[in-house]
């Protein structure tokens, strides 16, 4: 396993301390989350069920023998556990590198606490080096791309990718996101945008940063 993968796994293992018996937990998407699900399956944490943020996570949870509940059947969950593509020390995030941003935002929204797991390379002073994913209705792809160019971004269509909900993704390069709250709201106003990968309004509550020296925790 590469050093980076070891750090992701360490962050995932550190998230296990938030798990309590009989909890219904929200589970994000991605390779860090996959380490978390593997660890959850290995030990008997006796969680009640999980709410999945994507079809891929749902499949992995079922394979691990964990009961999966649909978001529509539940109003609140105590915790949501997920990775991110970039994070600031203010606990704002870019997510959606794996294309599951909409499901992730929905499950994060119904959680009391969002625990985010990253390796140290993803901690940045300013968001935007990682291209910002935007899920769009196919009919609006060019319109959204043009609007993002007006904001100084360089939009690229994620070719060949279709989201769990049949939509497309635009990855926007070249943004220096100094006010993630404002930009998140502004992009969501563009017609045809399903959601964007900024998690500032519902950022993380706890950020677990895996470093070679150990896992550091930042709290909101
Ligand atoms: C998927 C996500 C992931 O959390 C993000 O891409 C991080 O993935 P990984 O843990 O594989 O580095 O937002 O939509």
């Amino acid at each position: 396993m590469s050093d980076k993968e070891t750090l992701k796994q360490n962050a995932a293992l550190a998230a296990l301390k938030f798990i309590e018996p009989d909890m219904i937990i929200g589970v994000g998407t991605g390779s860090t989350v996959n380490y978390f699900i593997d660890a959850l399956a290995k030990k008997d944490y006796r969680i009640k069920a999980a709410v999945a943020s994507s079809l891929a996570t749902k499949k992995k949870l079922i394979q691990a023998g964990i009961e999966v509940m649909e978001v529509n059947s539940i109003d609140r969950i105590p915790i949501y556990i997920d990775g991110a593509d970039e994070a600031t020390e203010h606990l704002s995030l870019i997510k959606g590198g794996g294309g599951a941003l909409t499901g992730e935002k929905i499950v994060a929204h119904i959680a009391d606490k969002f625990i985010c797991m990253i390796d140290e390379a993803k901690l940045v002073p300013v968001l935007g080096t990682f291209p910002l994913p935007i899920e769009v209705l196919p009919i609006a792809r060019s319109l959204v791309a043009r609007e993002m160019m007006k904001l100084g971004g360089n939009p690229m269509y994620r070719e060949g990718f279709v989201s769990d909900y049949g939509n497309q993704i635009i990855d926007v390069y070249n943004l220096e996101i100094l006010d993630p709250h404002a930009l998140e709201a502004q992009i969501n106003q563009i017609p045809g945008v399903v959601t964007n990968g900024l998690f500032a309004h519902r950022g993380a509550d706890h950020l677990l940063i895996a470093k070679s020296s150990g896992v550091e925790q930042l709290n909101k």
Side-chain angles (χ1 to χ4, degrees), residues 22-40:
D22 285 326
M23 262 185 170
I24 300 172
I25 64 168
V27 185
T29 302
S31 55
T32 314
V33 163
N34 287 344
Y35 288 124
F36 172 78
I37 298 173
D38 289 342
L40 199 62

Side-chain angles (χ1 to χ4, degrees), residues 134-139 141 157 161-163 166-170:
I134 305 177
E135 181 164 345
V136 297
L137 298 179
I139 188 178
R141 190 180 75 224
Y157 170 41
F161 183 88
V162 179
S163 78
N167 299 315
Q168 297 174 341
I169 297 227
I170 296 172

Side-chain angles (χ1 to χ4, degrees), residues 3 74 127 142 194:
D3 288 354
I74 193 157
L127 298 173
S142 299
V194 177

